[in-house]
Amino acid sequence: MKTASRAAFLAALLVALPIEVASVPAPEPQPDVDTRFPYTGPKVPVGDWVDPTINGNGKGFPRLVEAPAVKPKSFKPKNNINVISTSYVPNGVNIHYQTPFGLGTAPLVHWGPKKNDLCNKAFGLTKTYDRTPPCSEVVVTQCSQFFHDVQIGHLKSDTTYYYQIQAANGTTASEVLSFKTSRAAGDKSPFSIGVLNDMGYTNAHGTFKYLNKAIDEGISFAWHGGDISYADDWYSGILPCESDWPVCYNGTSTELPGGPPIPAEYLVPLPEGEIANQGGPQGGDMNVLYESNWDLWQQWMNSITKRVPYMILPGNHEAACAEFDGPNNELTAYLVEDKANSTANKTELTYYSCPPSQRNFTTYQHRFTMPGDETGGVGNFWYSFDFGLAHFVSINTETDFAFSPEWPFVRDTKGHGDLPAENQTFITDSGPFGYINGNYTDNTAYEQYQWLLKDLKSVDRKKTPWVIVMGHRPMWSSQVASYQEDIRDAFQAIMVENGVDLYMAGHIHWYERMWPLDVNGSIVTDSIANNNTYRTNPGKSMIHLTNGMAGNIESHSTLNPGQSPLNITSVLDQKNYGFSTITVESATKLTWKFIHGVDGSVGDELTVVKKGTGPKGYSGPPGFNHKGGPWIRAIW
């Protein structure tokens, strides 16, 4: 009931051979949310009480917009291609594109080996959901509701192909674009990728600029580890400024996002009748509708997603329309009682408080297509793929393991029945997206655990000596949280036992590089060559990197006053936004760089070498103490 069957999802995708393939009718939408209890909030929740209209009238927050992927031929188009992205599938690619309305036929891509020789056709399939608000009520070039996927398989590795998306039902055909296929497993050529987490639109413009520059310089693909558009922060515009929420605008006493220098637009007086809060350019660049934030972010990212494959995995901000109530229960009043600009005595948010289209990762499931089912995983939630000398693994740290942060219904009922009463649920309840074959408190009962164990054991280390895993949430951090122990209990042991080299995460909005750790969180000193060189140590240690500083409206995470980083930390940067790159140099050497969004400079660099290679001996930096913890370089 809570998610479409994998069989239905597989049926919705067509792998096209390099010959003309017959059209296939679009499948009927599959139910993926529980609707036993009615949604009682406003028809379309808008996070702007001065101007609660969908498109805005200039009296409230500006409705931010970005150009569509395809410039329409007419001034007022009736349909258009607004987003284009690609992703890897085994021996090929998936071409994903989005339109406000249906195509009236199967999506069609012309493709070929040369820009002027698009000699093949590939047809795909379409999926959609009951978006809130529907695109019939929104400007066509700023709205996506129909999602099209065309897969092209049986392609040569490391080869550039060209394609054009065909016009249909009023859309304008795309220009001739290109993609480059993945390198074959075992290809020894060096390559680089971009790695980013926790982005959104606010504070992310430096990341955007230098990620585009990295593409110009030849990175092969980008890998985004969750918290993608921050769509669920649409309601920031209706919450009052609070001391624990630094991203707000209240004139004289404020901590503005991004830090000095203060952007000129933040000094512009608020519109007449507006109160100080967190929406719009004067308090966080974002839209005040959930779906419009997705449209804004995806269209902004076209310059990246049209040029290199964009691989993603889920974060907490993809789960539902909101995570928690306001300080005076403003969201309960709005989403449950349909009372704008009001408060409630207590929070009553449940799974059913969000509009049905904004529950259970619905938007996330439709707006991307990852190779989960093609690699034995599940959809956009967990999957793996090979690229040259590396095996990359995406996992889901939000659902599908014991005591996951986003609860399944079976946890609401403590295992006694599958369908809880309305008041037993939480607004972010989600999943499971795979089976639970046993007790929900047993990690080994989960399909994700069984898949990950099988996947790691099947890695051919002669072809792909590097194994790199990313999940949204970290296992270890100087910001300690209970979910970290649950993630460690679920996945850490099988990663260390099977020789995972790096585990990367975000969620915490800073950059933190830890020393190589064993399963108990102890520093493994023989895995350290020097401050900026680590050795792999299969079965003993794993490298942990927290990379959650791509942007986001919520600003940086910080340690509490007087608190110091934990002794497991080598570098902690709570100031800079940006992203990271991984360069696989050879079968025995990998380099990691943290790129500052402010100027493109390198903020941290790490070399990882295979055990038995690299520098000999390690005395450590001044102040290094194996018992009390190593030296820490902190940037505040």
Side-chain angles (χ1 to χ4, degrees):
M1 182 182 300
K2 300 190 72 179
T3 185
S5 69
R6 282 194 287 163
F9 187 86
L10 282 169
L13 295 174
L14 177 65
V15 177
L17 298 174
I19 57 174
E20 184 169 345
V21 184
S23 299
V24 178
E28 291 296 318
Q30 298 294 317
D32 57 4
V33 296
D34 188 300
T35 55
R36 289 176 300 131
F37 302 97
Y39 165 69
T40 56
K43 180 181 178 182
V44 180
V46 180
D48 180 353
W49 288 339
V50 170
D51 178 12
T53 59
I54 292 173
N55 289 308
N57 59 14
K59 296 181 180 179
F61 296 125
R63 303 298 192 265
L64 303 175
V65 298
E66 290 286 347
V70 176
K71 183 178 180 180
K73 290 181 178 179
S74 63
F75 180 69
K76 290 186 177 181
K78 296 182 178 179
N79 206 359
N80 197 57
I81 299 171
N82 292 332
V83 174
I84 299 174
S85 64
T86 60
S87 58
Y88 295 124
V89 295
N91 301 309
V93 300
N94 185 89
I95 299 169
H96 173 96
Y97 63 103
Q98 301 177 187
T99 58
F101 305 111
L103 302 177
T105 185
L108 170 61
V109 167
H110 297 270
W111 66 278
K114 297 179 181 179
K115 191 171 184 179
N116 59 355
D117 185 17
L118 305 182
C119 52
N120 303 303
K121 293 182 180 180
F123 292 87
L125 292 173
T126 298
K127 52 195 174 186
T128 186
Y129 62 94
D130 293 329
R131 170 195 159 115
T132 306
C135 284
S136 59
E137 300 179 19
V138 181
V139 177
V140 166
T141 55
Q142 299 169 22
C143 188
S144 292
Q145 191 171 351
F146 284 77
F147 310 92
H148 318 287
D149 288 288
V150 179
Q151 287 193 6
I152 306 175
H154 304 279
L155 300 177
K156 295 179 181 178
S157 61
D158 196 25
T159 301
T160 298
Y161 292 89
Y162 297 86
Y163 71 97
Q164 182 178 43
I165 300 171
Q166 179 67 41
N169 193 31
T171 68
T172 299
S174 75
E175 61 184 318
V176 176
L177 302 167
S178 67
F179 60 80
K180 194 171 187 179
T181 53
S182 174
R183 292 186 183 174
D187 185 324
K188 296 180 180 180
S189 305
F191 68 90
S192 298
I193 71 169
V195 184
L196 61 161
N197 306 71
D198 303 81
M199 188 178 184
Y201 196 72
T202 312
N203 297 320
H205 289 251
T207 295
F208 176 85
K209 175 180 177 180
Y210 288 104
L211 184 55
N212 268 291
K213 184 174 184 290
I215 295 172
D216 294 339
E217 295 171 350
I219 65 167
S220 298
F221 64 91
W223 197 12
H224 191 152
D227 284 9
I228 297 169
S229 72
Y230 283 82
D232 62 347
D233 276 331
W234 63 273
Y235 60 88
S236 293
I238 64 177
L239 298 183
C241 293
E242 291 290 317
S243 60
D244 61 351
W245 185 274
V247 184
C248 73
Y249 178 88
N250 57 15
T252 57
S253 58
T254 184
E255 182 179 338
L256 292 167
I262 295 174
E265 62 264 28
Y266 285 81
L267 303 178
V268 176
L270 292 170
E272 184 178 355
E274 187 60 274
I275 60 173
N277 52 36
Q278 301 139 355
Q282 294 113 321
D285 295 319
M286 64 181 304
N287 266 306
V288 293
L289 284 81
Y290 177 86
E291 297 285 0
S292 293
N293 275 318
W294 275 111
D295 296 331
L296 172 74
W297 185 86
Q298 284 194 293
Q299 293 188 196
W300 181 47
M301 292 292 285
N302 273 319
S303 65
I304 293 169
T305 61
K306 286 166 61 176
R307 294 203 288 160
V308 294
Y310 204 84
M311 312 302 289
I312 52 92
L313 57 90
N316 53 296
H317 282 277
E318 281 71 70
C321 76
E323 287 192 288
F324 43 76
D325 218 329
N328 300 300
N329 305 313
E330 288 88 352
L331 276 187
T332 289
Y334 193 32
L335 293 179
V336 178
E337 301 173 6
D338 196 9
K339 295 179 180 177
N341 200 8
S342 186
T343 62
N345 292 328
K346 63 178 181 178
T347 183
E348 296 180 4
L349 296 180
T350 70
Y351 174 90
Y352 306 94
S353 299
C354 291
S357 63
Q358 298 175 19
R359 304 172 189 169
N360 197 42
F361 289 90
T362 293
T363 304
Y364 170 81
Q365 291 188 72
H366 285 77
R367 288 178 180 258
F368 304 93
T369 300
M370 296 296 112
D373 300 299
E374 294 85 352
T375 59
V378 172
N380 295 337
F381 293 98
W382 57 91
Y383 61 89
S384 65
F385 61 99
D386 294 329
F387 192 105
L389 292 170
H391 181 71
F392 295 96
V393 184
S394 292
I395 65 170
N396 177 8
T397 62
E398 304 310 304
T399 70
D400 289 82
F401 62 96
F403 307 107
S404 60
E406 325 303 354
W407 295 25
F409 281 173
V410 67
R411 186 176 174 190
D412 292 330
T413 62
K414 297 180 173 61
H416 303 293
D418 293 331
L419 297 175
E422 181 177 9
N423 62 2
Q424 289 180 289
T425 64
F426 297 87
I427 194 167
T428 57
D429 273 358
S430 302
F433 297 100
Y435 63 70
I436 305 176
N437 189 12
N439 192 296
Y440 78 94
T441 64
D442 178 7
N443 278 306
T444 65
Y446 285 80
E447 183 175 1
Q448 181 174 204
Y449 173 94
Q450 295 295 336
W451 171 84
L452 179 61
L453 181 61
K454 180 180 179 181
D455 183 85
L456 294 178
K457 286 184 177 295
S458 68
V459 174
D460 184 347
R461 291 282 184 159
K462 292 181 180 180
K463 289 185 175 181
T464 55
W466 296 102
V467 178
I468 303 169
V469 180
M470 181 152 60
H472 177 62
R473 298 182 189 234
M475 297 184 188
W476 300 97
S477 175
S478 290
Q479 185 183 93
V480 179
S482 59
Y483 68 77
Q484 294 169 9
E485 182 176 0
D486 295 326
I487 296 171
R488 294 197 300 266
D489 289 345
F491 305 122
Q492 182 180 226
I494 59 175
M495 288 187 190
V496 174
E497 290 168 4
N498 288 280
V500 170
D501 299 306
L502 285 81
Y503 176 72
M504 305 181 303
H507 189 65
I508 298 173
H509 298 162
W510 63 35
Y511 175 82
E512 185 173 16
R513 169 161 64 87
M514 282 144 278
W515 300 97
L517 303 175
D518 66 14
V519 293
N520 298 312
S522 297
I523 298 167
V524 180
T525 55
D526 62 0
S527 301
I528 305 171
N530 56 52
N531 296 339
N532 295 92
T533 306
Y534 297 165
R535 296 190 188 92
T536 62
N537 210 337
K540 291 185 64 177
S541 69
M542 185 167 66
I543 299 166
H544 295 261
L545 295 151
T546 300
N547 191 54
M549 66 298 160
N552 82 73
I553 190 175
E554 295 174 357
S555 196
H556 281 299
S557 300
T558 56
L559 291 169
N560 294 326
Q563 182 183 357
S564 297
L566 296 181
N567 68 340
I568 62 175
T569 299
S570 172
V571 178
L572 178 63
D573 186 334
Q574 303 170 70
K575 176 183 177 181
N576 287 287
Y577 295 103
F579 69 103
S580 297
T581 62
I582 293 175
T583 299
V584 176
E585 310 273 5
S586 67
T588 58
K589 182 181 177 182
L590 172 154
T591 57
W592 166 279
K593 293 181 181 180
F594 167 31
I595 308 300
H596 287 164
V598 65
D599 58 8
S601 62
V602 177
D604 183 39
E605 187 169 355
L606 172 69
T607 297
V608 183
V609 296
K610 286 297 182 180
K611 187 176 183 179
T613 65
K616 303 294 183 182
Y618 181 61
S619 59
F624 188 93
N625 184 327
H626 288 184
K627 293 183 179 179
W631 168 84
I632 298 167
R633 179 162 63 90
I635 301 172
W636 306 101

